[in-house]
Structures are given as C-alpha cells and as structure tokens.
Amino acid sequence: MSEQPAASRIQVEALAEGFKARAGQVAEQLGLPLTLADADFSLQVGEHGLQLQQLGPDAPGPVRVDFVEGGAAHRRLYGGGSGQMIAKAVGIAQGVRPRVLDATAGLGKDAFVLASLGCDMSLIERQPLIGALLEDGLARAAEDFDVAPIVARMKLLKGNSIDVMLNWQGEPPQVIYLDPMFPHREKTALVKKEMRLFRPLVGDDLDAPALLAAALALASHRVVVKRPRKAPCIEGPKPSHALDGKSSRYDIYPKKALKP
C-alpha cells in the first residue's frame, strides 16, 4: 500500500475519558491531530483497542484488527488447515513450514493464517495508520492464551516494503508473499468494508512491479503474488504457474524447491 493517504483528513479520538492519554500517545506517534474539522476518518481509541472509523452518512462500520474472535477465530478453527490454497501457494507441506515475509500485510489476515499453520512470519505494512491497527491487534492477541503462541510467530517490521527488502539484514525469507492493492473498480471488489475504507486512504499500489522485483531479488525459494482471479499478472517476469480460486488466484514464482 502506498505511504501517503490520498487526500484524507484524519483525526485521533478517545471514545471515553479514560482513553485520552492513550489517544494523545497515538496522535503524537502518527503525527495526527486530536480534533479536526471536517475529518474524513477517525482513529478511535477505546476498550477494544484501536479502530478506524470512516466518517460521513454512508460510511461502513469501524475496522480493527482482531485475531482472537470473529473471522480470524473461525478460520483458525475451521478454515481447512494446510489444505487451504494459500498454504499450498507458499509451499506448506509435510515437514515444510517456510519462513515467510508478508510484504503487504494490511490487517494481517493472511499472515495470521500462515502463522497458525506453523510458519514464522515477518510482516511489513508501510501505511503507518494501517500499521498502527496491526500493531495494536498483535499486542491484544498476545494476551490471549490460545492465540498468543500464534502471534509470537508474527514479527511486525516498519518502513517502506521495497526499502526493507532491498536493505534486508540477516538470513533472507524463504518465501515472500505479496497482495498489492489492485486498481480494480468493479463493485464486487469493494464489498468488504476494509476495502471501502482502504481505497480513499491508501490508493492503489502503483509500484507493484518494483515490489515484485525486490521480492524476487530477496526470497531464497519462491515469491507468491495474490491477485483478483481475472486480473493480469504484475508487470515483469511471468509466474511459472498459478493456483486459481473462486475470486482470487496465487501466481507462483519459484526459485528453489522447498524441502523438509
């Protein structure tokens, strides 16, 4: 996701008196005002942690990161385990749990699935506002008995995804996973409130070719790119093959076989 919000006015708001100090810390950390006339978005601090609320008459409900309940819990318990397409795409197999870098982490949903299957995950979310939601969700999940061991395998890195990959220190990730924001305008692509929220906030990933190039240079074993099912491949080297689902597909760029 692009670093600069697309002409959006954002304020930080405490939902109760007891959260004003925390709201002040968040506002200072992100360089955002506590009150803003005609704000488009409100980053709210309350009993459930951080949540982002779009303002206006047709705005969807708030978005926050929750790895303990809701969709994340359902998928963790009933999502199909290592038989899921994303698991096959990154190379999970008997005795194989690759080290994965999710360079477009967003709200961390895919990274959480892979961590729940045993992968050690590094995550980069370069949009600071979304990164703050993700960091808050990870901190709350670390306090849950069942989920803490999973999020312990999720390390959040800060910075521009391309810069972090180009300046990587230490052992490289075996697999790099990319899910760039696609400039897609069909109504079916906008049904999720997260997407309705992210579009005006972060725009599209117009540097996806550079993102792919950096990933291919760093990953030791393979790069996986998630795309809308009918979307073109990212400009650049072509994938060797793809795994197709109902609404999305995974383009696979192999470099070396993953072995137990």
Side-chain angles (χ1 to χ4, degrees):
M1 295 178 183
S2 53
E3 293 178 76
Q4 298 300 323
S8 298
R9 296 179 296 275
I10 307 161
Q11 67 178 11
V12 180
E13 175 188 5
L15 293 179
E17 186 71 28
F19 301 108
K20 283 190 174 181
R22 171 65 176 146
Q25 293 172 350
V26 171
E28 183 176 359
Q29 174 189 347
L30 296 174
L32 296 173
L34 284 169
T35 56
L36 185 64
D38 300 322
D40 298 314
F41 295 88
S42 185
L43 184 61
Q44 300 171 335
V45 185
E47 60 178 322
H48 299 298
L50 290 184
Q51 62 184 32
L52 186 62
Q53 175 66 63
Q54 188 173 359
L55 305 175
D58 297 321
V63 169
R64 68 189 184 96
V65 175
D66 188 352
F67 294 121
V68 178
E69 299 178 350
H74 187 272
R75 190 167 179 184
R76 173 170 59 89
L77 296 171
Y78 310 110
S82 58
Q84 297 176 74
M85 193 172 296
I86 187 175
K88 296 176 180 178
V90 302
I92 288 177
Q94 186 171 1
V96 179
R97 292 297 186 272
R99 298 185 314 278
V100 181
L101 167 63
D102 183 345
T104 53
L107 298 178
K109 293 181 179 180
D110 287 343
F112 181 75
V113 169
L114 295 174
S116 71
L117 296 175
C119 292
D120 287 328
M121 301 295 302
S122 299
L123 295 78
I124 311 172
E125 175 44 57
R126 58 182 174 177
Q127 211 292 329
L129 199 60
I130 308 304
L133 292 174
L134 182 52
E135 187 173 33
D136 176 71
L138 288 168
R140 284 184 284 104
E143 298 175 356
D144 181 85
F145 179 80
D146 293 321
V147 179
I150 297 174
V151 296
R153 290 192 285 270
M154 299 170 67
K155 179 182 178 182
L156 180 59
L157 309 175
K158 296 186 178 181
N160 178 286
S161 309
I162 295 174
D163 291 342
V164 172
M165 287 191 284
L166 292 178
N167 296 284
W168 190 269
Q169 301 293 319
E171 191 173 12
Q174 293 173 294
V175 178
I176 297 181
Y177 178 80
L178 304 175
D179 182 10
M181 187 75 83
F182 182 65
H184 201 49
R185 295 293 176 247
E186 292 180 13
K187 291 182 179 178
T188 52
L190 300 177
V191 292
K192 290 186 178 180
K193 65 181 180 181
E194 289 95 338
M195 291 301 101
R196 289 181 59 189
L197 202 66
F198 286 2
R199 286 282 177 202
L201 246 188
V202 304
D204 299 318
D205 279 314
L206 302 179
D207 59 355
L211 195 66
L212 175 59
L216 287 169
L218 176 62
S220 63
H221 286 67
R222 74 170 64 175
V223 174
V224 178
V225 181
K226 185 178 180 181
R227 303 293 277 166
R229 188 170 64 89
K230 296 182 180 180
C233 297
I234 293 179
E235 182 181 341
K238 299 303 179 187
S240 70
H241 64 286
L243 300 178
D244 291 315
K246 291 181 179 179
S247 61
S248 60
R249 73 170 194 275
Y250 297 91
D251 291 343
I252 314 295
Y253 300 77
K255 296 180 69 176
K256 189 164 60 174
L258 289 159
K259 297 179 181 179

